[in-house]
């Protein structure tokens, strides 16, 4: 089942993407992590409590006002090395075929990753967080306060993972 | 404190945006909701258990395999009517100034909204969900399975909201 970085495995399927994008994103910063290559990244964020740093473009620095009062944040970031045309995937650690939208794989039409992180502090405009598993230098798209009232669903179930875990 | 749709209020601050985007997004579908104008939208998703429909572009339909086994999903969508240059905002229902990254306002450098929704069913490639508060026709960017192990933080706190609520 080996593939070079992000090639197509048996059981995977690609589709033609639209001719042109519908909207544009700004990279508003970079995420600094201890992981320089994909093979070094934790398989998921639960496996790591490594402290990582979020470096925000100074032009947006004032947007951090009151962020220090948040215990947890939602980070959105851009998985710029992922292919965008896979609709069916065979994740290496499962070995079975699943739809892209039933997976948290970086490979998806819009490779936007979402991670909930714990905020440890803000120093000189840089956020110190834990709960990430991405490559060093990953482009940052957004920082949001985590709202337990709407974002926390402790009883949520992903049925296919329960069957295969 | 009135402003016409998204004008700048007293206490708000804008910055110059980068000259050009760094990456492109595809709109992969549309979200159908009962709300045709901003004034009709629930102030937040907790206020509504309205059933909404997620219409995925048929080219990506196979990506839904196994999504039906998920009780909850993360939806990312594009708030295409929001300004992108605000770093300090004065939300009408608070009346005090906060940084964009301490708010869930649609106005942000990359106006990507994130909502956790309950999945009620999938019919003919359309997802029936509850937990949304966005305008009818909002462009869809991504569908992800909600993973309680990494996404659920019941004890998370947003300190400034606690003070002002």
């Amino acid at each position: 089942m080996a593939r070079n970085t992000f090639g197509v495995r048996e059981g995977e399927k690609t589709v033609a993407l639209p001719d042109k994008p519908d909207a544009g994103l700004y990279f508003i910063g970079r995420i600094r992590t201890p992981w320089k290559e994909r093979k070094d990244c934790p398989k998921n964020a639960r496996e790591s409590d490594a402290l990582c740093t979020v470096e925000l473009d100074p032009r947006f620095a004032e947007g951090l006002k009151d962020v220090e009062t948040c215990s947890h944040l939602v980070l959105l970031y851009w998985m710029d090395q992922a292919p965008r045309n896979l609709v069916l995937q065979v994740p290496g650690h499962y070995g079975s075929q699943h739809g892209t939208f039933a997976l948290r794989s970086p490979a998806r039409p819009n490779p936007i990753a979402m991670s909930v992180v714990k905020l440890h502090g803000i120093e000189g405009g840089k956020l110190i967080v834990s709960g990430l598993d991405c490559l060093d230098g990953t482009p940052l798209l957004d920082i949001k306060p985590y709202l337990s009232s709407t974002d926390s669903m402790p009883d949520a179930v992903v049925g296919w993972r329960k069957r295969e875990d």
Side-chain angles (χ1 to χ4, degrees), chain A residues 3 7 89 95 163:
Chain A
R3 54 178 177 184
Q89 303 184 43
R163 289 196 305 266

Side-chain angles (χ1 to χ4, degrees), chain A residues 88-165:
Chain A
L88 291 169
Q89 303 184 43
V90 179
H93 49 291
Y94 286 106
S96 53
Q97 181 199 61
H98 303 285
T100 289
F101 303 118
L103 294 167
R104 293 288 279 258
S105 159
R108 48 209 318 116
N110 292 303
I112 303 168
M114 187 278 276
S115 287
V116 178
V117 300
K118 184 176 176 185
L119 179 64
H120 294 263
I122 304 182
E123 294 171 12
K126 296 179 184 178
L127 286 67
I128 317 298
V129 302
S130 61
L132 288 171
D133 56 7
C134 63
L135 281 173
D136 185 47
T138 296
L140 177 70
L141 298 178
D142 201 8
I143 302 169
K144 299 179 191 292
Y146 182 91
L147 305 183
S148 59
S149 55
T150 50
D151 301 334
S152 183
M153 301 288 168
D155 301 325
V157 171
V158 179
W160 75 260
R161 280 169 60 118
K162 261 188 133 159
R163 289 196 305 266
E164 298 185 21
D165 263 344

